[in-house]
Amino acid sequence: MQSLRLGSARVDRVEEHSLPVSLTFLTENEELIARRVDPLPEGFLDRETMNFRFSNHSWVVRVDGLTVLVDPCTGNGRKGRGPYFDDLDVPYLDRLARIGVAPHDVDVVFCTHLHHDHCGWNTCETDGGWKPTFPRADYVFAQDEYGRWDSDNPVRHPNTFNPDVFDECVRPVVEAGLARIVPLPYEISPSLTAEPAPGHTAGHAMLRLAAGGVRAYFTGDAFHHPVQLTRPELHLPGCDDLATAIATRRSLVRRALDEEAFLFPAHFPEPHYGRLALDGDEVAFVPGGAAHR
């Protein structure tokens, strides 16, 4: 994907990897699929397998003199993350370098939430331990999300598919003095604000960009596939609070329509982002649309 221009901001995507996920986890409604999924680019549905491409990527936003890395994926050499995620060996940092960003160039790392595929590259294994990958960065964590996963918190929410992530990917950042654990909303810069978007996890957040008259939301896992924009009640398994996740999706759909905002989710296939439109009384996803730099 080429660099995008959103007002005064530059946005780039850094891929980690992708995997097939069955759309039937979300819906088997053939009329809905034909109406809202079939017209989308091919990665959103392979009709032979009924899979879509579940992309794992980060967004890099350059605005207000800052380089901000959003959702740094799973990371190499991890264990206990499950099929497709264990023992990765991918050139993520090389891909970051291709857009002109070295680890020491990153000013802010923002994790929408602390599932393993959104915070893994926070740290890298060095000399037998996990050390911050981005040594100059402020790592911004939503206070509620931090508390939900803190392994020292005796009342944290149990979870079986995110083992050791806090101690490998968050605690070393805190111990290095690089963490900002903040209540939301939180202004990162004049153009960027971290806002609550709970449900998928208890403290799930998103990043709002308002730059030069253009608005965009980096929505993490609030949405996994565009069919949820039409039917916010559809979901993949694993939400902390499904009712709240649905309410968050509905609110985001309204805001994106009202503001004509771009949405930059963490897992949509190519072109990976887009806007919303009304087709009659139904919401439709319109892929892409931003100017290239």
Side-chain angles (χ1 to χ4, degrees):
M1 189 186 87
Q2 292 177 277
S3 296
L4 303 175
R5 185 175 67 252
L6 295 179
S8 56
R10 171 179 171 175
V11 177
D12 292 274
R13 190 184 76 96
V14 181
E15 180 175 336
E16 183 176 67
H17 74 309
S18 63
L19 61 141
V21 172
S22 178
L23 186 67
T24 62
F25 287 134
L26 285 163
T27 183
E28 297 183 69
N29 184 323
E30 181 58 36
E31 290 184 359
L32 176 63
I33 293 170
R35 192 168 64 250
R36 290 293 163 234
V37 182
D38 283 345
L40 297 174
E42 60 179 321
F44 290 94
L45 181 63
D46 179 337
R47 271 292 188 172
E48 287 190 12
T49 63
M50 291 303 291
N51 291 333
F52 65 95
R53 297 304 300 172
F54 190 90
S55 175
N56 290 286
H57 54 253
S58 304
W59 296 106
V60 175
V61 185
R62 284 177 265 199
V63 70
D64 301 332
L66 297 176
T67 297
V68 180
L69 177 64
V70 183
D71 282 343
C73 298
T74 293
N76 287 342
R78 305 291 179 167
K79 304 289 187 183
R81 282 23 173 191
Y84 296 103
F85 294 99
D86 275 2
D87 297 313
L88 287 179
D89 183 12
V90 298
Y92 177 88
L93 295 179
D94 290 341
R95 292 168 182 161
L96 189 64
R98 284 179 208 147
I99 63 166
V101 178
H104 67 267
D105 295 325
V106 176
D107 298 297
V108 177
V109 176
F110 175 68
C111 300
T112 59
H113 60 299
L114 297 179
H115 281 166
H116 67 80
D117 54 329
H118 293 260
C119 65
W121 284 97
N122 282 358
T123 59
C124 287
E125 192 170 17
T126 305
D127 298 328
W130 298 103
K131 305 296 183 184
T133 306
F134 309 102
R136 289 185 50 259
D138 289 325
Y139 288 72
V140 176
F141 303 115
Q143 190 174 67
D144 289 347
E145 184 69 0
Y146 182 92
R148 184 255 183 270
W149 295 104
D150 183 357
S151 55
D152 288 339
N153 181 359
V155 295
R156 69 186 186 279
H157 192 290
N159 183 281
T160 59
F161 63 83
N162 211 37
D164 305 319
V165 172
F166 187 91
D167 290 327
E168 288 183 7
C169 304
V170 179
R171 191 177 301 284
V173 171
V174 176
E175 291 174 348
L178 300 178
R180 283 195 226 167
I181 303 164
V182 301
L184 301 182
Y186 176 79
E187 184 179 287
I188 291 173
S189 76
S191 301
L192 292 171
T193 304
E195 298 186 359
H200 180 67
T201 60
H204 188 286
M206 63 184 177
L207 187 65
R208 180 178 185 267
L209 169 69
V214 179
R215 294 183 181 181
Y217 292 92
F218 297 82
T219 57
D221 280 3
F223 304 98
H224 290 100
H225 189 278
V227 74
Q228 295 173 289
L229 298 162
T230 304
R231 297 283 178 83
E233 69 275 12
L234 302 177
H235 65 98
L236 291 178
C239 286
D240 281 357
D241 185 334
L242 179 56
T244 299
I246 292 169
T248 290
R249 284 196 284 273
R250 286 178 174 150
S251 173
L252 271 171
V253 167
R254 287 193 298 270
R255 288 177 72 173
L257 282 168
D258 290 345
E259 298 176 10
E260 298 182 344
F262 289 96
L263 297 180
F264 287 81
H267 298 297
F268 279 20
E270 191 175 359
H272 309 291
Y273 76 100
R275 286 198 274 194
L276 304 186
L278 286 176
D279 183 6
D281 60 355
E282 190 170 70
V283 174
F285 178 63
V286 181
H292 294 291
R293 292 192 77 91

